[in-house]
Amino acid sequence: MTLEDTAQVVIVGSGMGGSTLAWGLAHRGIDVLVVERGDYLPAEAQNWSPEAVFADRRYRPDEWWLDPVGRRFRPGVHYLVGGNTKVYGSSLPRLREQDFGRTVYPAGVSPPWPFTYADLEPYYCQAESLYRVHGTTGEDPSEPWRSQPYPYPAMSHEPYVQTTIERLRAQGLHPSSTAMGIDLQPGGACIRCRTCDGFPCRLGAKSDAQTCALGPALMTGLVRLLTNTRITRIETAGNADDRVTALIGERDGEPVRITGGNFVISAGAANSAALLLRSTSDRWPQGVGNDTRLVGTNYMVHNNTHIAAVDPRRRNDVTFAKTVAVNDRYLDFGDGYPGGTLQAIGKVQGVMMKTHATKVPLSLLNRIADRSSEWLVMSEDIPSRANRVTVDADGTIRVHWQRTNYDRHELLLAWAKSVLRKAGYTGIFEQRFDIGLNSHMCGTVVAGLSSDESVLDPWCRMHSVRNCWVVDSAFFPSSGAQNPALTIAAQALRVAAEGQGFDSG
Ligand SMILES: Cc1cc2nc3c(=O)[nH]c(=O)nc-3n(C[C@H](O)[C@H](O)[C@H](O)COP(=O)(O)OP(=O)(O)OC[C@H]3O[C@@H](n4cnc5c(N)ncnc54)[C@H](O)[C@@H]3O)c2cc1C
Ligand code: SF4
């Protein structure tokens, strides 16, 4: 028997985009149904086990995508209530004001956004409040202006990190506190543990989309959630009327059909594009809203490299390492072009290193981890029509991806290594992100001013199918070089507050 449901607004996906939008729409008094393919992540001992999370990939789906030549890879996706935010690192910085403009690099141009930093700024404030962001101002030379202070003070640095900060300052740099979303204030649930970045929080203290947005939205009584329900197809009306009429899917092997007035696709950059592309019809032979063949294009992931920096003279006894970033080269690398960010990440343990350094004995990796400090070097990739998501005839996602703007990344990486060497780290190991390390994916259904160059308008509504929105990282016209989640949340709040048409249909 077909499961049928209906709502004024139906949202596909409960990750950062979908859950935050549901929260915002509920506060406008709109009736919302969120349809999520995954289930609630259980609170269990394995949440904080590096073996379970990293070696056994307990919370990752057994799903494989294809690269351009047909090699299989496992993508960085998590099909759970809360989506990827259930395991994310909770680092919640804003993009910088210049990221919203046209940015010129030697290798090409990163296009402007169809709205400014000033347009999004009130929603950054709202998102920081919703996601309990801890941070401080006046330290970071790249920080954008803000109309309100951070809701909570920055996390303190532990002694090991403080020593590193002093060594960075001695080089004339301006290390700054990382903007973090966790429940650490007095009376908060966070116990400041070692297994946060990349792990689920067993205590519900991480500011993920379920905890901070969907849960409170469900409490309003205006939002409902259908779990374990995968949407496979978008149905549209006939030739005369460019409207979505229903979503088709399956739940525990049974068919599902969901009708409604308005529909939002928030399945994550690759899956949102894939769902639109799979939904072909006489009216939309290339997929819904894809008459311009732009759906799937401009797939971006950042240019990222992990560094494990070893100082053999210092034991790293840190519990929570992810409290510092260095953004001195973000706005200008020193040659008139932007560089990117250097950020401390959560303490990596030997068993986590083993998932990549498979041939190195675990005992050696444990010795390295005992004296290492881990960092992320992140710079911007430039969108390109050639970098795109397509779907094969059997529905498998294929990612056509070649690095763009990588010369800039090489420069930033070389600078980051020299900075860390001068701070006492004599051994540097690096892991460059490959096609499978796509946790920062964005683009694919980009927002813009004109339908010649974009699929969505500045409020994430499709130019060509007016009762359909895409509200997740797919809307990014460019990637900037800061972690994406706060910007996804801020735009979802902006769409909920300013978006026209949600209450009609
Ligand atoms: C390990 C890790 C660490 C990270 N750390 C950070 C960080 O510190 N800071 C930061 O800013 N970002 C971080 N990120 C990235 C961040 O989590 C993502 O940018 C963000 O979650 C993307 O939001 P989204 O709404 O686009 O997609 P998601 O959050 O991935 O949500 C998509 C949702 O759609 C559901 N879905 C997909 N297809 C369907 C379908 N067909 N039917 C129904 N439901 C569907 C999925 O199950 C999922 O719940 C990290 C990611 C990972 C994996
Ligand atoms: S540091 Fe805090 S928020 Fe992070 S996993 Fe530990 S208890 Fe949870």
Side-chain angles (χ1 to χ4, degrees):
M1 208 176 74
T2 302
L3 171 70
E4 304 213 13
D5 209 329
T6 190
Q8 200 173 353
V9 177
V10 184
I11 300 176
V12 181
S14 66
M16 197 52 147
S19 286
T20 313
L21 181 72
W23 184 93
L25 291 177
H27 285 79
R28 247 175 90 170
I30 292 173
D31 156 54
V32 177
L33 174 65
V34 179
V35 186
E36 167 56 51
R37 71 185 285 172
D39 207 339
Y40 282 99
L41 188 145
E44 55 185 6
Q46 289 93 332
N47 291 166
W48 285 345
S49 156
E51 287 82 6
V53 176
F54 283 85
D56 303 342
R57 302 178 182 205
R58 182 173 178 83
Y59 304 111
R60 295 263 295 270
D62 183 19
E63 180 163 300
W64 298 82
W65 295 354
L66 299 174
D67 76 2
V69 295
R71 278 183 303 239
R72 294 180 347 141
F73 70 92
R74 279 185 84 168
V77 291
H78 296 78
Y79 297 147
L80 299 162
V81 174
N84 266 353
T85 69
K86 288 308 287 183
V87 300
Y88 78 161
S90 265
S91 164
L92 294 175
R94 300 178 176 199
L95 285 177
R96 292 358 192 189
E97 191 163 12
Q98 79 174 28
D99 290 321
F100 292 79
R102 181 175 184 271
T103 309
V104 178
Y105 289 100
V109 172
S110 169
W113 287 37
F115 51 89
T116 63
Y117 174 77
D119 293 327
L120 198 60
E121 204 279 337
Y123 302 103
Y124 269 136
C125 295
Q126 200 180 3
E128 285 171 343
S129 168
L130 190 61
Y131 284 94
R132 307 178 293 210
V133 179
H134 295 57
T136 193
T137 52
E139 295 177 341
D140 181 342
S142 75
E143 72 185 350
W145 61 270
R146 52 172 51 245
S147 61
Q148 288 177 34
Y150 279 102
Y152 300 101
M155 291 180 71
S156 60
H157 304 297
E158 292 177 35
Y160 179 94
V161 177
Q162 190 59 46
T163 301
T164 305
I165 287 173
E166 278 151 24
R167 292 178 180 189
L168 294 169
R169 283 204 184 116
Q171 298 176 45
L173 296 170
H174 301 84
S176 53
S177 298
T178 304
M180 292 297 301
I182 59 178
D183 191 16
L184 193 61
Q185 62 281 2
C190 174
I191 57 164
R192 195 168 175 140
C193 73
R194 210 179 201 204
T195 45
C196 191
D197 195 0
F199 296 82
C201 179
R202 198 175 166 187
L203 303 177
K206 178 182 284 200
S207 293
D208 61 54
Q210 177 210 337
T211 306
C212 292
L214 185 61
L218 293 170
M219 298 283 285
T220 64
L222 281 163
V223 176
R224 292 176 298 125
L225 171 68
L226 198 55
T227 58
N228 297 305
T229 306
R230 181 179 171 220
I231 299 303
T232 51
R233 182 175 167 74
I234 301 167
E235 252 183 27
T236 50
N239 286 351
D241 189 9
D242 287 334
R243 292 181 63 76
V244 174
T245 47
L247 301 173
I248 308 301
E250 56 95 18
R251 186 177 207 241
D252 299 330
E254 298 295 324
V256 172
R257 184 165 196 278
I258 297 165
T259 54
N262 298 294
F263 298 84
V264 183
I265 314 302
S266 301
N271 273 301
S272 286
L275 181 56
L276 293 165
L277 291 169
R278 286 187 195 114
S279 303
T280 57
S281 62
D282 289 346
R283 168 65 186 91
W284 299 108
Q286 310 295 333
V288 171
N290 197 21
D291 40 358
T292 50
R293 298 184 180 236
L294 287 173
V295 173
T297 66
N298 299 314
Y299 171 86
M300 295 165 275
V301 281
H302 283 146
N303 288 320
N304 284 336
T305 298
H306 273 160
I307 287 179
V310 182
D311 180 346
R313 291 157 303 179
R314 278 208 295 162
R315 225 187 124 243
N316 189 349
D317 58 355
V318 73
T319 301
F320 196 99
K322 193 173 175 164
T323 57
V324 63
V326 185
N327 287 315
D328 289 73
R329 298 291 179 109
Y330 190 89
L331 300 178
D332 185 345
F333 185 73
D335 56 4
Y337 300 103
T341 180
L342 169 66
Q343 301 176 344
I345 59 170
K347 183 71 198 96
V348 173
Q349 304 178 38
V351 67
M352 293 153 71
M353 293 179 175
K354 183 86 184 152
T355 59
H356 299 289
T358 48
K359 295 193 177 131
V360 184
L362 183 59
S363 55
L364 177 57
L365 293 173
N366 282 334
R367 285 213 300 281
I368 292 172
D370 199 39
R371 282 164 201 277
S372 66
S373 166
E374 289 76 22
W375 301 80
L376 174 64
V377 180
M378 189 190 323
S379 56
E380 179 165 22
D381 51 344
I382 295 177
S384 133
R385 297 263 166 105
N387 280 348
R388 62 190 299 163
V389 169
T390 59
V391 285
D392 280 19
D394 66 356
T396 305
I397 291 176
R398 189 181 287 257
V399 177
H400 307 260
W401 176 71
Q402 287 207 322
R403 292 186 166 108
T404 60
N405 207 22
Y406 211 65
D407 288 353
R408 298 308 292 168
H409 191 65
E410 296 285 11
L411 282 175
L412 187 73
L413 184 56
W415 168 80
K417 287 180 189 173
S418 81
V419 159
L420 290 169
R421 279 200 192 95
K422 284 184 208 151
Y425 294 101
T426 50
I428 304 265
F429 301 93
E430 67 179 41
Q431 181 204 5
R432 290 171 189 245
F433 281 28
D434 61 16
I435 195 168
L437 288 169
N438 57 354
S439 58
H440 285 189
M441 66 181 137
C442 63
T444 73
V445 192
V446 303
L449 294 175
S450 112
S451 57
D452 297 339
E453 290 174 353
S454 60
V455 185
L456 308 174
D457 75 9
W459 292 270
C460 289
R461 190 176 189 179
M462 284 189 131
H463 291 299
S464 53
V465 184
R466 296 299 279 166
N467 73 335
C468 188
W469 287 253
V470 178
V471 184
D472 58 19
S473 65
F475 88 84
F476 278 39
S478 66
S479 69
Q482 292 287 348
N483 319 58
L486 188 78
T487 302
I488 301 169
Q491 171 68 347
L493 293 169
R494 176 172 175 267
V495 170
E498 299 178 12
Q500 305 285 310
F502 283 115
D503 37 16
S504 63

